[in-house]
Amino acid sequence: MPDRKVESGSSVAGGAVPDGVNVFDDEVPAVANLDADLLGALRDAATDAQHDGVEFVLNSGWRSAEYQEQLLREAVSEYGSEAEAARWVATSTTSAHVSGDAVDIGPSDATTWLSANGALYGLCQIYLNEPWHYELRPEAGLDGCPPLYVDPTHDPRMQQ
């Protein structure tokens, strides 16, 4: 896939996601650079969701550190402060997207399906304010998903 621009100067090679990408699109770096276990769980869930007429669209997956920093700068500009932006966008050193350990899934019927069924695959919503953000928690199949953080500012991983 060519390194085409998607938005705000971002590129597919840096992790920007063109419209309509799903979890099976291996040629898109945002998919290809995801943690293998997370990607496997997503693909299993997406396959089963298709039987219920639900399609997963990947709105965000792996991101380069540079792209993550760009998103953070844009969030500071949009929300007016670093503190408010931190409720929505992590730094490049703390973001689970940069490590390939998080995805943002849409549309709303997919997040509704994941909310009801994701724990069976180890896929858990992490933040109350981000119903689209999922990470792998393998123990969720037995224990259920952990309690949600209100937003990333309450997540100890973001305090580094």
Side-chain angles (χ1 to χ4, degrees), residues 2 21 48 82:
V21 168
D48 291 346
E82 289 183 15

Side-chain angles (χ1 to χ4, degrees):
M1 169 173 284
D3 186 26
R4 66 178 202 206
K5 302 293 178 189
V6 177
E7 60 183 53
S8 305
S10 58
S11 70
V12 172
V17 180
D19 289 341
V21 168
N22 67 47
V23 300
F24 299 100
D25 290 333
D26 288 328
E27 71 281 357
V28 177
V31 175
N33 292 329
L34 287 172
D35 171 80
D37 292 333
L38 171 60
L39 185 56
L42 279 168
R43 288 178 171 173
D44 289 345
T47 298
D48 291 346
Q50 285 177 337
H51 297 298
D52 293 333
V54 175
E55 182 181 354
F56 289 9
V57 174
L58 186 81
N59 293 323
S60 188
W62 168 86
R63 300 176 189 149
S64 69
E66 295 80 13
Y67 183 39
Q68 186 68 31
E69 286 301 321
Q70 174 188 330
L71 294 174
L72 182 56
R73 286 190 306 273
E74 291 172 1
V76 169
S77 178
E78 179 179 348
Y79 295 109
S81 72
E82 289 183 15
E84 187 61 22
R87 295 186 60 230
W88 303 99
V89 181
T91 67
S92 62
T93 58
T94 59
S95 174
H97 286 281
V98 173
S99 61
D101 294 319
V103 293
D104 295 344
I105 296 293
S108 60
D109 64 335
T111 58
T112 298
W113 192 95
L114 275 172
S115 179
N117 302 291
L120 299 172
Y121 305 88
L123 299 170
C124 295
Q125 180 184 343
I126 302 301
Y127 305 118
L128 185 62
N129 72 327
E130 295 185 9
W132 54 82
H133 180 98
Y134 280 80
E135 298 179 23
L136 185 63
R137 299 292 185 268
E139 67 282 357
L142 298 174
D143 303 330
C145 289
L148 296 173
Y149 295 111
V150 173
D151 62 44
T153 64
H154 292 85
D155 184 342
R157 301 174 302 165
M158 300 300 126
Q159 309 312 310
Q160 299 176 11

